[in-house]
C-alpha cells in the first residue's frame, strides 16, 4: 500500500527532474545562441581582415574597431579574429596578429597565463601561440614546470607555434619530467620551429 509520504517523495522527485530538465534546456539554448553569435561575428570579421583593412596603427594601442568589437562581444571578438586568420594570406595575417597583440582582450588573455585555474592557463597558452606573441615566451617557459600536465602540453604547443628555438632545452626537460609518451609533443614543437633548430 502506498503511503502519503511515498507519494510526496515521488512528486518531489518528479518536480526535481522537471527542474533539472528545464535547466538543461536553458543551458543548451544559451550555448547555441552564443555559438550562433560567434559564427555571425566570424562571418562579419573575416572579409574585413581578408580585404586588408587592418593597417598598421601608429598608436601604441589597438584600433578603435577592435576595441568596439571587444566591448560589444567581449572575448568572442578576439576568438573570431584568430579563427579568421587561416583564410587570410600570410602578410595580412601577420598585420592582423600585430594589431591583435596590442588589443585589450589580448592583454587580458595573456595575463591569464598566471591564473590559478589550470583551464584558464591552458586557454591562455593557446591564445599566446595563436597570437604569435614572442613576449609571452618567458611566461610559457615558466609554465613548462606547471603542476598540471595539460598546461605543460599547451605551453609546449604554444612555444612550437611561436618557433621559440631558445626554449628547446626547457621543452626537452619538461618532456622528460612528463614521461615517455609525450615525446611526440616535443617532435611536433620542433617541426613547427623549422629546420633552424635541428
Amino acid at each position: 500500500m502506498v503511503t502519503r509520504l511515498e507519494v510526496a517523495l515521488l512528486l518531489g522527485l518528479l518536480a526535481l527532474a522537471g527542474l533539472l530538465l528545464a535547466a538543461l534546456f536553458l543551458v543548451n539554448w544559451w550555448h547555441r545562441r552564443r555559438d550562433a553569435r560567434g559564427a555571425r561575428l566570424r562571418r562579419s570579421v573575416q572579409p574585413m581582415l581578408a580585404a586588408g583593412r587592418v593597417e598598421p596603427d601608429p598608436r601604441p594601442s589597438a584600433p578603435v574597431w577592435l576595441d568596439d568589437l571587444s566591448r560589444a562581444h567581449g572575448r568572442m571578438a578576439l576568438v573570431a579574429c584568430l579563427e579568421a586568420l587561416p583564410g587570410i594570406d600570410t602578410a595580412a595575417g601577420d598585420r592582423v596578429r600585430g594589431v591583435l597583440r596590442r588589443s585589450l582582450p589580448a592583454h587580458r588573455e595573456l595575463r591569464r597565463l598566471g591564473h590559478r585555474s589550470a583551464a584558464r592557463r591552458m586557454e591562455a597558452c593557446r591564445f599566446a601561440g595563436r597570437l604569435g606573441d614572442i613576449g609571452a615566451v618567458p611566461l610559457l617557459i615558466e609554465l613548462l614546470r606547471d603542476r598540471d600536465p595539460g598546461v605543460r602540453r599547451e605551453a609546449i604547443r604554444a612555444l612550437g607555434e611561436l618557433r621559440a628555438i631558445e626554449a628547446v632545452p626547457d621543452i626537452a626537460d619538461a618532456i622528460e619530467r612528463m614521461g615517455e609518451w609525450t615525446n611526440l609533443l616535443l617532435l611536433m614543437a620542433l617541426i613547427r620551429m623549422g629546420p633552424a633548430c635541428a
Side-chain angles (χ1 to χ4, degrees), residues 12-53:
L13 287 174
L14 285 174
L16 182 63
L19 186 65
L20 289 174
L21 190 60
L24 180 67
F25 282 129
L26 184 64
V27 168
N28 185 24
W29 169 79
W30 182 80
H31 278 287
R32 288 180 42 196
R33 185 171 169 228
R34 187 192 63 187
D35 291 344
R37 194 174 88 193
R40 280 194 310 274
L41 186 60
R42 278 189 295 281
R43 282 194 304 270
S44 67
V45 167
Q46 188 162 11
M48 179 180 70
L49 299 179
R53 292 189 199 146

Side-chain angles (χ1 to χ4, degrees), residues 2-16:
V2 179
T3 65
R4 287 185 179 181
L5 180 63
E6 290 172 339
V7 170
L9 184 61
L10 182 61
L11 289 176
L13 287 174
L14 285 174
L16 182 63

